[in-house]
Amino acid sequence: MPEMMSGKRALLEMLKAEGVEYIFGNPGTSEGPIIDLLGDYPQFKYILTLQESVAVGMGEAYARATQKASFVSLHVDSGLANGIALMLDAYNTGTPMVVTSANYDARKVNETKTDLAELVRPVTKWAVELSHADQIPSVMRRAFNEANSHPKGPVYVGFTSNALEGVAEMNIVPSGKIHDAARPDPNGIYEAAALLTASKQPIMMVGDRVSDDGAIGPAVELAELLGLPVYVSRGAEVSFPTPHPQYFGTHSLRVAADREVLKGVDLMLAVGMDTFDELFYWGDVILEPGAKLIHIDPIPGRVGKSEPTDVGIVAHCGLALTELISALKEKLTPSDEQAIRSRTEQTVRDAAAKRQDYGHAVAAKWDNVPMSPARMMYELAQAIPENAIVVDDAISNRGALRHHFKAAKRGDIIGARGQSIGAGIGATMGAQCAHPDRPVFGIIGDGSAMMTIQGLWTAANDNIPCIFVICNNGMYRVLKVNFDVYQREILNESELTGLNLPYSEFPNPFDVAAIANSMGVHGERIVDPKEIKPAVDRVVTSGRPALLDIIIDGSM
């Protein structure tokens, strides 16, 4: 039955109907009507942030951890603009969020009233601004439907003061479950099975949407069925168990050895990813002539988007892999199975050798002062509790992190995904809100941390008991690394300036532990790797938010 109510009450009633628990926000005067009414809704936990990127970072990680749309409340146009960078990442990587802000009176159209929907339309699935109270229930219902259905992503709803303060009869009906797991075309499965069976040197590369679709199990089964080496593209989510003997780690075209891997491949099976989505231009065709590409992804338009594709299948990753496994089992002959056994043995040997090579490469700097990133990650991996969640915003030290931290299932490691930096502090808190029963460690580069350092106050203010671990190398090391690759690999220059790139070092290094203490978060500065485990034990036992500022070597 319809009920007479104000728009602002209708908004909160819709959030209650949607099962929203957390509101991640930074309010302004125009959001005052909503904030004023929150006292009537104790079921909402409003997490106050001091900068909008922190709120969006929290919402992004919370949505990925819970696999449902989060709710983020920003302020008019200025606050909304501050959140755009991480909204863009959420849009490009498919994170479901409903983002809102409030505008001024609709009659101020001839003054300085911004078209809020137009402002964020390029970084959202759908954006709309409302001027009537009775628009709110149906629009919020659609907003959650849009955010939670493929292709998932952020949705924006703006409210003029007229919409919030107006009164009308309204029906409060939440969004429903959208069943959008598309089955694969049988012809595509048949063709893919035929190519895989004929292949002599195939590899599999998986992306985040394997994890998003709950398809880690089928991915493992297929890899084991064919003896495939498995690489991860980007890898913000766990899409393949890192301890698996056929796991080769993250693949990046910026790494010369990874490009060499592709030269020996006659077929690549890409699942749940944007194929060869990279920072630099490595050519319009990446695979060698004659090499085949099978691409499976749930999002229309991503399959065949860049690399020439021999078999493209638009489908839910889990359903597609399951049907592909069935087709292969029917097709494999005893001679095929013998070849696969040999391939599996070779794959396991090669993966073990790659892990061993990494150990040899970092051994020379193991006892250096300041400590190497590899030593830091090793000590930290040994120290954290077994059920801990790791938020990976380590930037240029991600390779060391991914080598030492093991992840068997979705959620064990949550990586910042997208091209922006500054997500880590918010993401760490958002993951902790989603998993209050597990310790959460955010491993964050010092440059990224300083982008949203205000978030430490939020951790203290709301007693969010996560642990921030800062990789403090006193520089934007990722700039040096990338520029070095750009000069050597793209420009083919013999004289390199990457090591001494201007404006990439912090001549006055940050004492992040001191900053944390000033904001109410317990901070410790660590120089000796032997100090890491005792410090981890102390902060975990405290049950309070804490920060470990670990000084590491940033040399390349």
Side-chain angles (χ1 to χ4, degrees):
M1 292 288 293
E3 182 181 347
M4 188 71 71
M5 67 181 75
S6 66
K8 57 191 176 185
R9 187 169 295 279
L11 170 61
L12 295 179
E13 287 292 331
M14 281 300 299
L15 296 184
K16 183 171 72 171
E18 291 289 345
V20 169
E21 182 178 1
Y22 286 94
I23 299 174
F24 304 108
N26 180 270
T29 303
S30 56
E31 290 74 36
I34 303 168
I35 302 300
D36 182 55
L37 203 57
L38 279 174
D40 295 343
Y41 292 85
Q43 64 267 56
F44 297 134
K45 297 182 180 70
Y46 189 98
I47 305 296
L48 175 63
T49 68
L50 304 183
Q51 210 273 352
E52 290 80 6
S53 290
V54 178
V56 178
M58 292 186 75
E60 200 271 348
Y62 183 85
R64 287 166 57 193
T66 60
Q67 293 193 277
K68 62 182 181 182
S70 58
F71 183 75
V72 178
S73 175
L74 304 181
H75 171 51
V76 70
D77 46 11
S78 54
L80 186 59
N82 281 342
I84 281 179
L86 294 183
M87 289 172 65
L88 174 62
D89 284 350
Y91 177 69
N92 286 334
T93 59
T95 302
M97 306 167 66
V98 176
V99 180
T100 66
S101 68
N103 211 337
Y104 306 115
D105 193 297
R107 291 169 292 187
K108 291 175 68 67
V109 69
N110 63 326
E111 299 178 35
T112 55
K113 179 177 173 293
T114 301
D115 186 337
L116 299 180
E118 192 64 28
L119 178 65
V120 294
R121 188 158 284 122
V123 299
T124 54
K125 277 188 68 180
W126 182 52
V128 65
E129 184 177 337
L130 311 181
S131 55
H132 299 283
D134 51 5
Q135 295 173 312
I136 289 176
S138 63
V139 166
M140 292 305 294
R141 182 165 58 250
R142 178 181 170 186
F144 278 92
N145 270 331
E146 288 278 357
N148 285 320
S149 58
H150 275 308
K152 296 180 180 181
V155 170
Y156 172 76
V157 182
F159 309 101
T160 63
S161 61
N162 314 74
L164 293 175
E165 299 294 358
V167 176
E169 280 194 344
M170 301 189 224
N171 291 289
I172 304 301
V173 182
S175 62
K177 171 68 176 175
I178 303 295
H179 297 278
D180 59 355
R183 302 195 74 88
D185 186 308
N187 291 329
I189 293 296
Y190 175 83
E191 292 175 16
L195 286 180
L196 281 164
T197 304
S199 173
K200 304 301 181 186
Q201 297 291 331
I203 64 169
M204 181 161 74
M205 197 175 296
V206 295
D208 282 357
R209 290 187 286 276
V210 169
S211 185
D212 292 344
D213 283 355
I216 297 175
V220 170
E221 185 178 354
L222 179 60
E224 292 177 347
L225 179 65
L226 296 179
L228 299 174
V230 181
Y231 295 83
V232 168
S233 172
R234 295 191 179 271
E237 296 289 354
V238 178
S239 292
F240 200 86
T242 62
H244 195 282
Q246 292 169 231
Y247 176 72
F248 279 73
T250 303
H251 188 279
S252 172
L253 292 180
R254 272 172 268 182
V255 177
D258 287 356
R259 298 198 300 276
E260 285 298 315
V261 165
L262 298 178
K263 293 181 180 178
V265 168
D266 66 356
L267 181 146
M268 186 174 103
L269 171 62
V271 189
M273 56 178 276
D274 294 348
T275 307
F276 301 131
D277 183 20
E278 242 293 335
L279 175 63
F280 299 129
Y281 179 75
W282 299 98
D284 63 332
V285 178
I286 303 301
L287 291 174
E288 293 292 295
K292 304 295 184 182
L293 174 63
I294 302 169
H295 191 181
I296 299 171
D297 196 82
I299 301 179
R302 300 295 178 92
V303 174
K305 179 180 177 182
S306 54
E307 189 75 3
T309 303
D310 296 278
V311 178
I313 300 172
V314 178
H316 180 275
C317 294
L319 295 177
L321 290 176
T322 298
E323 294 195 18
L324 183 55
I325 289 165
S326 295
L328 285 164
K329 286 180 177 178
E330 293 178 3
K331 200 171 185 61
L332 293 175
T333 66
S335 61
D336 292 328
E337 291 168 357
Q338 177 58 46
I340 289 169
R341 279 193 292 272
S342 298
R343 181 192 300 150
T344 302
E345 292 169 0
Q346 186 62 52
T347 295
V348 170
R349 285 195 298 271
D350 290 346
K354 184 180 181 186
R355 290 190 289 271
Q356 192 174 46
D357 288 345
Y358 177 89
H360 294 326
V362 301
K365 297 183 178 181
W366 196 251
D367 295 318
N368 278 16
V369 178
M371 74 184 86
S372 68
R375 180 70 184 274
M376 170 194 165
M377 297 302 178
Y378 169 80
E379 298 291 347
L380 198 58
Q382 303 304 305
I384 68 171
E386 286 189 8
N387 67 331
I389 294 171
V390 172
V391 175
D392 173 11
D393 192 28
I395 313 292
S396 62
N397 297 307
R398 178 164 291 174
L401 185 155
R402 294 305 177 110
H403 178 82
H404 290 290
F405 285 87
K406 307 306 177 188
K409 60 186 183 302
R410 180 184 175 91
D412 288 348
I413 295 178
I414 301 173
R417 62 182 180 185
Q419 302 296 340
S420 301
I421 70 170
I425 285 181
T428 302
M429 294 189 291
Q432 185 70 81
C433 289
H435 294 287
D437 56 335
R438 296 177 66 181
V440 175
F441 287 74
I443 304 177
I444 307 166
D446 54 351
S448 181
M450 291 304 296
M451 293 281 187
T452 49
I453 200 69
Q454 307 95 327
L456 298 180
W457 179 89
T458 296
N461 186 58
D462 285 282
N463 192 26
I464 302 172
C466 51
I467 297 160
F468 306 96
V469 181
I470 307 303
C471 308
N472 194 335
N473 56 24
M475 65 182 70
Y476 279 135
R477 186 175 183 273
V478 69
L479 297 184
K480 294 187 174 191
V481 171
N482 285 341
F483 196 67
D484 182 64
V485 171
Y486 179 67
Q487 287 186 299
R488 285 188 294 104
E489 308 288 348
I490 304 297
L491 301 181
N492 296 312
E493 291 185 357
S494 56
E495 294 188 16
L496 306 178
T497 61
L499 297 181
N500 303 303
L501 184 68
Y503 312 114
S504 58
E505 296 199 15
F506 310 141
N508 294 314
F510 309 121
D511 187 342
V512 189
I515 297 172
N517 284 309
S518 75
M519 292 190 180
V521 170
H522 172 73
E524 297 188 25
R525 192 170 176 88
I526 296 175
V527 177
D528 187 337
K530 296 185 180 66
E531 298 173 353
I532 292 177
K533 186 178 189 322
V536 168
D537 291 342
R538 282 193 298 274
V539 296
V540 169
T541 301
S542 76
R544 301 275 300 170
L547 182 144
L548 304 180
D549 186 10
I550 302 181
I551 310 306
I552 61 172
D553 181 12
S555 62
M556 294 169 58

